[in-house]
């Protein structure tokens, strides 16, 4: 088990290094534009040259990469061109905001999709299964940008029940969380529910479940004690994948509802060519993706009784 | 006998042109707005100018709307959806949004209202010399900065010098070109280049409250240029304190101070306390909140619809229909000189052949572009970037679309078999920009030109806006055509994205800037416009109207053609 964990962590580090090289080459290797962006379009050539020299842009590429990586490891991501403050001052609060959004989405979506998936999978082909399956497919197939518009039209412009944006400009307000969370749940719950249903349906047709039923065990005990653990292995992996999805998937929702989260930050940084913010966001997004996969792999090993290390 | 500078001021009389303007107004040869604009620019007080027109005109509508005429209520907070950008240094502003936040803290020597009339502000009056080459600004006494110090000539001199220092990077360099001279310098590779530096003594302190600026050539629009958005007057210690108005809001003379500010999120301005005595009439609002709803136009309208904000910065054209049907929401619209210029750099092939550029102009259907791309909201333009809404506009003979002639010109230029070109567009102001280029694509196709539309992200566009051969750039409104032409097409100015260089144009523009007589100025402007039109450096199809939307309870809100937030008389009817 320790070897597997070490291997996975080693893979994580290697992936991060490769990504860091790619990112550095893609975004940093344009010194002219960096100086113009930081100092403004009317800055003199002389001041741009001085800035580039002061920030080591005339040093060899490997030296620049080493310095950049060193700074990055110590949490110094550089200063945002747009916000004119260290990137870490913006990045962590924005990541925290997205974590809050993700928490509420998962807190509602996971139990809901697991329960519906299990209920559908328990009796495959039943009326309940069909209702759950069809509604899951419909909600999942509506893209987020469409459901944001649709829900806004109903609840903001039509019924006037909910606020149109979630900028939290006067502090945290639960009401402002409702629409973004609702959009994310609607889009994602169907996918997890379908996966759970498929997994549950497969488990329910396995021999050991049939034996347990024939042995005369109460149905409730068969489901809770024998079927669920195996049926939840596949959804576990899917749920871990949703963390990655959430980081990128929230872009549309955060942008539309003006929610000050990580996704909106990444998009606005790209639109404004805020290089240091893009770098930091990309590295964080990759880290979250690789780390969540590592945890999923380790968790999968623990959950799956067929994989055991002596 | 030759007149010396400021003769009329010394003699206690008006500028020699003013009696002539009064005569023209009385004869009906000058309209009310132009009379007010020109006489105030020549140093007549706004009160005297208004008193004159009110005495002699009876059939003119009152400029004050009924909403403004209602009894204003003091107090309350206005919440506006607008991008909250970094606004550290007013001198370097390149977006109006930045100035709208700081505009409540820092002020200008002059102020141009929504009616295009420039009035005194921090300067209680100005006096131009008879030859319009020397301008004396008399500062208002008792104007206090937030730090408790009085505004003096030293502050104004500090600001002017700072704007014109090339290390500051201010676009005021283009505005005050006549205070600069070209000196020999070197670029980074050591090649000799011309560097523009401020002429020694061109800004002079006459006494504690008087500043005199000297120009190398006459310029009538100096007071209007003093209200260009980077021309805010900050305290003379601004640079040494870090050149950041967000960190030092006390270095402005405005009635509000910044109490909360987070780029990309929020800016909160509150009426200055601590015994601060504002020099002007106290504004009505207690607080102004700018809430950043991001770059999605629909988000700001959603915020307005749900009552999270009271007004929005601009109403995107695509949302106009929705906004018009919303109860409790009022759409405000104003005709402006804002436009999307598809300018052409004539240095490289195929654009270095004027016949190609002329063919493009002849094939373009400006009217169709206005109708399709901007829902017909605006005025058709004539490819010279001077708007009929600007008082110095001179009508030129209409040039009709002529696809046959365009084809002939292309054939003469050796492109009879077709021509492939690309136009960059960044949608920096909205989808209408791409729509405009797409209509042009269809127009040009009729003449055998295949136009590729290169849609870029806005930020990426700003990297190439002045470099690409053919691009659409959005230009904001200026009160005068000469102001815009000076900042965008004069040889060598930073914003000359077309890289236009014409001595004839430069000379004509300088002549127009220095001509007070309206008839004469129109004659010169006709030549200026014709020069640009004949050189075929742009397809500029229309001037667009701009819109905003606000809740019914917001009173006294007018739309400024440059989207400036002049909110001292805005109030909330709660």
């Amino acid at each position: 088990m320790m070897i597997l964990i070490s291997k996975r962590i080693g893979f994580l580090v290697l992936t991060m290094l490769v990504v860091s090289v790619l990112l550095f080459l893609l975004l940093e290797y344009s010194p002219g534009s960096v100086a113009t962006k930081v100092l403004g379009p009317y800055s003199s050539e002389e001041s741009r040259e001085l800035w580039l020299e002061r920030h080591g842009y005339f040093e060899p590429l490997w030296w620049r990469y080493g310095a950049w990586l060193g700074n990055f490891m110590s949490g110094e991501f550089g200063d945002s061109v747009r916000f004119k403050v260290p990137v870490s001052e913006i990045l962590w609060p924005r990541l925290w905001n997205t974590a809050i959004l993700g928490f509420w989405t998962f807190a509602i979506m996971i139990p809901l999709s697991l329960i519906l998936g299990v209920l559908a999978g328990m009796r495959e082909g039943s009326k309940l299964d069909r209702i759950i399956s069809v509604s899951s497919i419909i909600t999942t197939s509506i893209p987020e940008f469409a459901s944001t518009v649709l829900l806004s039209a109903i609840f903001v412009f039509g019924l006037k029940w909910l606020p149109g944006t979630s900028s939290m400009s006067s502090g945290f307000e639960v009401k402002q969380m409702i629409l973004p969370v609702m959009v994310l749940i609607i889009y994602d719950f169907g996918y997890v529910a379908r996966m759970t249903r498929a997994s549950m349906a497969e488990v329910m047709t396995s021999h050991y479940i049939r034996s347990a039923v024939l042995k005369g065990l109460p149905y409730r005990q068969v489901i809770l004690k024998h079927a669920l653990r195996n049926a939840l292995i596949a959804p576990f992996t899917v749920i871990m994948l949703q963390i990655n999805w959430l980081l990128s998937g929230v872009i549309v929702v955060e942008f539309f509802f003006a929610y000050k989260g990580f996704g909106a930050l990444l998009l606005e940084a790209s639109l404004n060519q805020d290089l240091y913010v893009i770098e930091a966001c990309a590295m964080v997004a990759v880290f979250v993706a690789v780390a969540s996969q590592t945890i999923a792999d380790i968790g999968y090993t623990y959950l799956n009784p067929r994989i055991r290390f002596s | 006998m030759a007149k010396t500078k400021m003769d009329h001021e010394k003699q206690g009389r008006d500028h020699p042109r003013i009696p002539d303007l009064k005569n023209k107004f009385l004869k009906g040869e000058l309209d009310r707005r132009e009379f007010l604009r020109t006489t105030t620019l020549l140093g007549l007080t706004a009160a005297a100018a208004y008193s004159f027109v009110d005495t002699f005109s009876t059939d003119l509508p009152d400029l004050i709307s009924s909403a403004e005429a209602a009894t204003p209520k003091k107090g309350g907070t206005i919440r506006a959806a607008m991008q909250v950008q970094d606004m550290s240094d007013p001198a370097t502003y390149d977006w109006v949004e930045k100035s709208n936040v700081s505009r409540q803290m820092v002020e200008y020597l002059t102020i141009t209202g929504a009616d295009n009339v420039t009035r005194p502000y921090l300067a209680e009056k100005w006096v131009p010399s008879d030859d319009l080459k020397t301008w004396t600004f008399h500062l208002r006494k008792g104007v206090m900065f937030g730090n408790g110090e009085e505004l003096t000539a030293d502050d104004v001199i500090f600001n002017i010098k700072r704007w014109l220092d090339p290390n500051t990077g201010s676009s005021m360099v283009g505005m005050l070109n006549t205070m600069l001279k070209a000196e020999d310098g070197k670029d980074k590779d050591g090649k000799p280049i011309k560097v523009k530096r401020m002429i020694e003594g061109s800004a002079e302190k006459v006494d504690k409250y008087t500043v005199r600026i000297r120009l190398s050539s006459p310029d009538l629009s100096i007071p209007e240029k003093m209200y260009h958005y980077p021309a805010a007057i900050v305290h003379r210690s601004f640079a040494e304190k870090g050149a950041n108005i967000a960190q030092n809001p006390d270095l402005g003379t405005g009635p509000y101070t910044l109490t909360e500010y987070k780029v990309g999120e929020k800016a909160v301005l509150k009426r200055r306390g601590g015994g601060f005595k504002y020099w002007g009439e106290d504004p009505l609002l207690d607080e102004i909140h700018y809430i950043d709803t991001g770059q999605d136009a629909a988000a700001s309208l959603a915020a307005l619809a749900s009552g999270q904000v009271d007004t929005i910065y601009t109403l995107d054209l695509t949302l106009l229909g929705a906004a018009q049907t919303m109860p409790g929401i009022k759409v405000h619209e104003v005709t402006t000189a804002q436009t999307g210029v598809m300018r052409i750099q004539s240095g490289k092939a195929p654009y270095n052949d004027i016949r190609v550029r002329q063919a493009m102009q002849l094939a373009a259907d400006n009217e169709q572009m206005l109708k399709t791309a901007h829902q017909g909201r605006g005025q058709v333009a004539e490819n010279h970037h001077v708007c009929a809404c600007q008082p110095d506009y001179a009508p030129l003979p209409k040039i009709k679309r002529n696809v046959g002639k365009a084809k002939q010109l292309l054939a003469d230029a050796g492109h009879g078999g077709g021509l492939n070109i690309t136009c960059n567009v960044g949608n920096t102001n909205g989808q209408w920009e791409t729509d405009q280029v797409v209509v042009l694509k269809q127009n040009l196709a009729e003449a055998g030109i295949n136009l590729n539309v290169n849609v870029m992200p806005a930020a990426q566009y700003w990297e190439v806006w002045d470099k690409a051969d053919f691009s659409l750039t959005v230009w904001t409104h200026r009160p005068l055509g000469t102001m815009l032409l000076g900042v965008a097409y004069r040889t060598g100015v930073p914003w000359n994205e077309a890289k236009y260089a014409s001595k004839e144009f430069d000379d004509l523009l300088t002549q127009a800037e220095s001509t007070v007589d309206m008839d004469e100025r129109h004659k010169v402007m006709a030549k200026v416009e014709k020069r640009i039109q004949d050189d075929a450096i742009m397809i500029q199809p229309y001037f667009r109207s701009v819109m905003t939307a606000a809740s019914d309870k917001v009173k006294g809100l007018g739309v400024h053609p440059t989207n400036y937030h002049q909110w001292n008389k805005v109030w909330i009817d709660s």
Side-chain angles (χ1 to χ4, degrees), chain B residues 373-388:
Chain B
H374 216 259
Q375 297 183 20
R377 289 181 179 267
Q379 292 176 324
V380 175
E382 298 154 341
N383 303 328
H384 54 59
H385 208 157
V386 182
C387 177

Side-chain angles (χ1 to χ4, degrees), chain A residues 13-24:
Chain A
V13 173
L14 188 68
T15 311
M16 293 301 296
L17 273 174
V18 172
V19 168
S20 70
V21 172
L22 288 174
L23 258 180
F24 178 78

Side-chain angles (χ1 to χ4, degrees), chain A residues 181-212:
Chain A
V181 168
M182 204 192 286
V183 170
L184 290 170
I185 291 172
I186 285 176
Y187 182 72
D188 205 29
F189 99 91
Y191 181 58
V192 180
R194 291 280 297 162
M195 289 301 291
T196 311
R197 178 202 168 273
S199 182
M200 189 70 184
E202 191 190 340
V203 169
M204 290 304 285
T205 56
S206 61
H207 294 302
Y208 76 94
I209 293 291
R210 196 183 304 167
S211 306

Side-chain angles (χ1 to χ4, degrees), chain A residues 33 42 83 157 164-165 169 260 271, chain B residues 169 264 266 292 306 308 459 495:
Chain A
S33 63
Y42 311 111
F83 296 90
F157 294 94
T165 56
S169 56
K260 306 298 174 192
L271 291 173
Chain B
K266 193 178 185 183
D292 193 320
S306 55
Q308 288 178 292
W495 283 5

Side-chain angles (χ1 to χ4, degrees), chain A residues 33 37 41-42 44-45 49 82-84 157 160 162-165 167 169 176 255-256 258 260 268 271-273, chain B residues 86 94 166-167 169 188 263-266 291-296 299 302-303 305-306 308 326 459-460 463 495:
Chain A
S33 63
K37 284 302 284 182
Y42 311 111
S44 65
E45 187 65 34
E49 293 287 311
R82 181 166 169 245
F83 296 90
K84 299 275 174 13
F157 294 94
K160 296 189 182 296
L162 295 172
T165 56
S167 58
S169 56
Q176 292 188 29
F255 189 65
F256 187 91
K260 306 298 174 192
E268 284 167 11
L271 291 173
N272 295 289
Q273 291 198 341
Chain B
D86 169 63
D94 46 4
N167 289 319
K188 61 173 179 171
V263 175
E265 293 187 22
K266 193 178 185 183
I291 296 161
D292 193 320
T293 51
Q295 287 168 273
D296 181 16
S306 55
Q308 288 178 292
M326 284 179 192
Q460 205 181 328
E463 292 286 317
W495 283 5

Side-chain angles (χ1 to χ4, degrees), chain B residues 507-523:
Chain B
D507 292 345
L508 282 168
L509 182 61
T510 304
Q511 196 187 335
E513 285 170 338
S514 57
T515 306
V516 180
D517 184 272
M518 279 310 296
D519 293 337
E520 285 305 312
R521 185 150 29 114
H522 280 141
K523 282 177 195 162

Side-chain angles (χ1 to χ4, degrees), chain A residues 232-305:
Chain A
L232 290 182
I233 293 171
F236 172 75
T237 316
V238 171
I239 289 165
M240 291 307 288
L241 276 171
Q242 298 315 297
I243 296 174
N244 303 339
W245 164 80
L246 197 73
L247 267 188
S248 54
V250 288
I251 290 178
V252 173
V253 172
E254 288 185 353
F255 189 65
F256 187 91
F257 292 112
Y259 185 76
K260 306 298 174 192
F262 179 83
L265 178 69
L266 180 55
L267 179 67
E268 284 167 11
S270 307
L271 291 173
N272 295 289
Q273 291 198 341
D274 200 343
L275 296 181
Y276 299 119
V277 175
I278 298 173
E279 281 173 353
C281 286
M283 287 296 277
V284 166
V286 172
F287 177 78
V288 171
V290 181
S292 62
Q293 274 317 102
T294 306
I295 294 167
D297 285 352
I298 297 166
Y300 187 81
T301 314
Y302 174 75
L303 282 173
N304 192 341

Side-chain angles (χ1 to χ4, degrees), chain A residues 25-292:
Chain A
L25 291 176
L26 277 172
L27 297 173
E28 289 263 318
Y29 204 52
S30 56
S33 63
V34 174
T36 311
K37 284 302 284 182
V38 173
L39 299 176
Y42 311 111
S43 54
S44 65
E45 187 65 34
E46 189 186 349
S47 55
R48 286 200 288 266
E49 293 287 311
L50 279 171
W51 187 91
L52 290 170
E53 196 178 350
R54 205 166 52 242
H55 290 81
Y57 276 90
F58 297 134
E59 300 295 338
L61 190 64
W62 60 266
W63 187 92
R64 281 173 54 211
Y65 172 72
W68 175 77
L69 194 65
N71 287 338
F72 215 93
M73 301 278 276
S74 57
E76 284 179 33
F77 305 137
D79 282 358
S80 160
V81 171
R82 181 166 169 245
F83 296 90
K84 299 275 174 13
V85 292
V87 171
S88 52
E89 279 186 28
I90 320 154
L91 182 67
W92 302 125
R94 291 295 193 107
L95 204 58
W96 177 245
N97 285 347
T98 295
I100 294 171
L101 182 61
F103 171 79
W104 285 110
T105 305
F106 277 28
I108 300 166
M109 188 265 288
I110 291 173
L112 181 76
S113 51
L114 288 181
I115 290 168
L116 291 175
V118 167
L119 286 174
M122 271 165 51
R123 299 193 192 283
E124 200 181 0
S126 64
K127 202 173 175 182
L128 183 67
D129 176 29
R130 283 182 193 154
I131 292 170
I132 292 171
S133 295
V134 169
S135 53
S136 303
I137 291 166
I138 290 171
T139 53
T140 307
S141 51
I142 300 173
E144 292 147 296
F145 63 83
S147 48
T148 49
V149 174
L150 192 69
L151 292 176
S152 288
I154 298 169
F155 294 106
V156 179
F157 294 94
L159 300 170
K160 296 189 182 296
W161 286 354
L162 295 172
T165 56
S166 310
S167 58
M168 308 285 174
S169 56
S170 308
F172 186 81
E173 204 182 326
V174 177
K175 227 177 168 186
Q176 292 188 29
M177 289 296 283
I178 295 174
L179 276 177
V181 168
M182 204 192 286
V183 170
L184 290 170
I185 291 172
I186 285 176
Y187 182 72
D188 205 29
F189 99 91
Y191 181 58
V192 180
R194 291 280 297 162
M195 289 301 291
T196 311
R197 178 202 168 273
S199 182
M200 189 70 184
E202 191 190 340
V203 169
M204 290 304 285
T205 56
S206 61
H207 294 302
Y208 76 94
I209 293 291
R210 196 183 304 167
S211 306
V213 174
L214 290 174
K215 209 164 70 176
L217 280 177
Y219 192 63
R220 182 190 169 89
Q221 201 178 336
V222 172
I223 298 292
L224 292 177
K225 212 170 174 184
H226 299 283
L228 264 186
R229 183 171 172 181
N230 284 331
L232 290 182
I233 293 171
F236 172 75
T237 316
V238 171
I239 289 165
M240 291 307 288
L241 276 171
Q242 298 315 297
I243 296 174
N244 303 339
W245 164 80
L246 197 73
L247 267 188
S248 54
V250 288
I251 290 178
V252 173
V253 172
E254 288 185 353
F255 189 65
F256 187 91
F257 292 112
Y259 185 76
K260 306 298 174 192
F262 179 83
L265 178 69
L266 180 55
L267 179 67
E268 284 167 11
S270 307
L271 291 173
N272 295 289
Q273 291 198 341
D274 200 343
L275 296 181
Y276 299 119
V277 175
I278 298 173
E279 281 173 353
C281 286
M283 287 296 277
V284 166
V286 172
F287 177 78
V288 171
V290 181
S292 62

